[in-house]
Amino acid sequence: MTLKLHGHVQSTSTRRVLLILKEKKIPYEFVSIDWAVAEHRQPEWLQYHPFGEIPYIEDNGFVLYESRAIARYLVAAYPEEGPALVPAAGAGVKAHALFEQAVAVEAFNFDPTVSAILTERLYKPFAGLTPDEAQVAILTAKLETRLAGYERILSNSKYLTGEEVTLADLFHVPFLTLFGPGQVDVLTHAEKAKKWPNVVRWANDLLEREASKSL
Ligand SMILES: N[C@@H](CCC(=O)N[C@@H](CS)C(=O)NCC(=O)O)C(=O)O
């Protein structure tokens, strides 16, 4: 049975999973949720995703939620196609630790700052609320310290863990593709500032991938 992805095309977490499905050329069926009825809060959905969020997948009866866990399942369960995206099993303890470090940087350093800006700039206006610009200024300053850190890493290597692209790099892509200037313009911001040329080079490299372009 074809793997099913339940989510929404405008959800960053859904796009993270879509990206990996496309990178690994895994056949899938996309099942879009009905926002109008808040389908993800309904009892049937909660049987599959106890936190009432999107996305989740069903793969031959196996249900999994959390976009990064899904991505890691996909590369492990479908190793045949596309780039490996994770260190090889025999790459050694240190290679695996460096990969986990990069994955953690995206999840706990980059994502919370960018998501908080998104809340102010996108979700609040969508819900008829006024963005807190003082908060945006604090978050933008925080993002700048993050980007400076990325610049230090990326001035020494092509990708976050070395010369090969991994999931840690690709997990950033949803935030680089969906939002334009004035929302979470990570790339525009870096480009304008000209302070982080390697961040711009890295982000453009990720955006040029076939899978990213097809999102
Ligand atoms: N850590 C989760 C985050 C899931 C998440 O927050 N999804 C958002 C969309 S990107 C959602 O369900 N929003 C709707 C809501 O919370 O009502 C993941 O990576 O899958």
Side-chain angles (χ1 to χ4, degrees):
M1 215 168 67
T2 315
L3 182 151
K4 280 189 186 162
L5 169 60
H6 297 259
H8 194 275
V9 282
Q10 282 180 328
S11 132
T12 49
S13 304
T14 303
R15 288 162 79 82
R16 187 170 292 114
V17 175
L18 268 176
L19 180 69
I20 306 309
L21 286 167
K22 287 167 185 280
E23 283 280 352
K24 299 297 288 178
K25 298 184 170 51
I26 301 166
Y28 66 93
E29 181 188 334
F30 189 75
V31 187
S32 187
I33 72 151
D34 188 348
W35 278 124
V37 296
E39 192 182 343
H40 57 307
R41 299 287 163 79
Q42 304 307 323
E44 198 188 334
W45 187 282
L46 295 173
Q47 283 176 23
Y48 301 114
H49 196 316
F51 299 103
E53 292 176 338
I54 57 174
Y56 74 88
I57 61 160
E58 282 176 275
D59 190 15
N60 267 322
F62 176 61
V63 173
L64 195 64
Y65 54 87
E66 280 297 332
S67 60
R68 295 168 184 84
I70 297 171
R72 295 181 77 152
Y73 165 75
L74 294 176
V75 299
Y78 296 88
E80 305 85 8
E81 296 278 358
L85 301 180
V86 291
V93 173
K94 289 177 185 161
H96 284 274
L98 290 172
F99 171 69
E100 294 302 338
Q101 175 180 264
V103 167
V105 165
E106 184 278 324
F108 303 117
N109 179 321
F110 181 82
D111 182 302
T113 309
V114 176
S115 292
I117 299 176
L118 252 191
T119 299
E120 295 301 328
R121 283 280 163 85
L122 195 66
Y123 304 143
K124 276 195 176 176
F126 186 71
L129 303 168
T130 308
D132 179 343
E133 288 303 328
Q135 186 63 10
V136 172
I138 292 168
L139 291 165
T140 303
K142 209 170 180 183
L143 176 63
E144 296 197 359
T145 67
R146 306 299 193 219
L147 293 179
Y150 276 76
E151 181 65 23
R152 286 182 201 108
I153 299 168
L154 294 165
S155 59
N156 290 317
S157 61
K158 186 170 179 193
Y159 296 106
L160 293 176
T161 54
E163 296 310 296
E164 302 296 331
V165 69
T166 71
L167 289 180
D169 302 286
L170 294 177
F171 285 170
H172 295 77
V173 168
F175 287 116
L176 300 174
T177 56
L178 187 55
F179 308 106
Q183 291 173 347
V184 183
D185 48 346
V186 174
L187 186 55
T188 320
H189 188 74
E191 246 157 7
K192 256 195 248 150
K194 302 224 182 301
K195 281 191 259 177
W196 306 291
N198 288 291
V199 174
V200 174
R201 188 252 316 140
W202 167 78
N204 280 323
D205 177 291
L206 296 176
L207 291 172
E208 278 305 306
R209 297 179 72 79
E210 281 310 310
S212 307
K213 287 198 282 192
S214 70
L215 275 183

